Amino acid sequence: LGRGIFQKMHREQREAITVNIDSPCLAGSEARWFWGELEPKEGTFDWSTLDGFLAAWSKAGKKVIINISTCQKQAPEATPAGVFAAGADGIKAAAPNKFEDNPDKKTKSFPESTYPVYWDPVYLDKYAAFIKALGKRYDGHAGVEAIEMGLGHNTGFAIAPFDELLIE
């Protein structure tokens, strides 16, 4: 899995899906989607951006590593709102922009988000249903090199450090 060099693309860069696509140095591209972006309403899936990305890279003979995130300070919609409406616990927080000169970390430059409580049974049930739908759609797809996803911040299993979230 992941053999070769993969170009990493964030959500904002996905629109430029063909950048470097013909490079002989690249085996493919790695790109991130948010759960809430792919399942805007429970049981209703919008695979269009992911399908388009896969189609372009597959046509070029390349592979894609799909990242699925359920928590990101830049994306309040990372976990679908319906998950919280169904009773999953969440923590409302605003995150400081650590990339600017911000020594006291009190300037909030990202919107308030609801971060999921990852062990909440409602959250886990809804996420499991999403994983099954994702697997059903892309299992065996020739253009998929790997799918990276987790329960934590970004696509891994980490929870943001204490200075990352300012709970109000």
Side-chain angles (χ1 to χ4, degrees):
L1 294 175
R3 292 184 193 101
I5 298 171
F6 285 76
Q7 170 176 267
K8 186 171 186 84
M9 300 180 90
H10 296 284
R11 178 170 68 169
E12 300 79 21
Q13 298 163 320
R14 287 190 328 233
E15 292 179 9
I17 62 174
T18 58
V19 170
N20 300 321
I21 202 165
D22 294 326
S23 172
C25 298
L26 291 177
S29 185
E30 175 185 350
R32 177 176 300 151
W33 282 264
F34 297 104
W35 173 18
E37 173 185 12
L38 297 173
E39 187 179 9
K41 290 171 48 174
E42 187 172 355
T44 302
F45 302 98
D46 181 358
W47 308 114
S48 60
T49 58
L50 182 47
D51 287 346
F53 197 85
L54 274 166
W57 284 84
S58 294
K59 183 178 178 185
K62 312 277 179 138
K63 302 280 187 170
V64 170
I65 297 174
I66 301 167
N67 285 262
I68 306 291
S69 178
T70 67
C71 178
Q72 182 75 358
K73 66 185 171 201
Q74 296 96 326
E77 74 286 0
T79 295
V83 173
F84 301 112
D89 282 334
I91 299 170
K92 287 195 180 292
N97 185 343
K98 63 184 176 184
F99 300 108
E100 292 179 6
D101 183 20
N102 185 10
D104 63 1
K105 300 214 182 268
K106 291 182 181 173
T107 303
K108 297 169 188 72
S109 52
F110 293 107
E112 181 177 275
S113 296
T114 301
Y115 291 78
V117 174
Y118 305 112
W119 51 90
D120 180 272
V122 174
Y123 172 85
L124 291 172
D125 182 57
K126 305 288 184 196
Y127 195 39
F130 170 73
I131 292 169
K132 287 178 186 173
L134 181 75
K136 182 177 179 182
R137 182 159 185 98
Y138 297 106
D139 183 31
H141 189 294
V144 175
E145 179 71 10
I147 296 177
E148 179 185 27
M149 57 195 311
L151 291 173
H153 192 66
N154 293 326
T155 57
F157 290 95
I159 295 175
F162 292 115
D163 70 342
E164 188 75 9
L165 299 177
L166 299 175
I167 300 172
E168 298 181 353

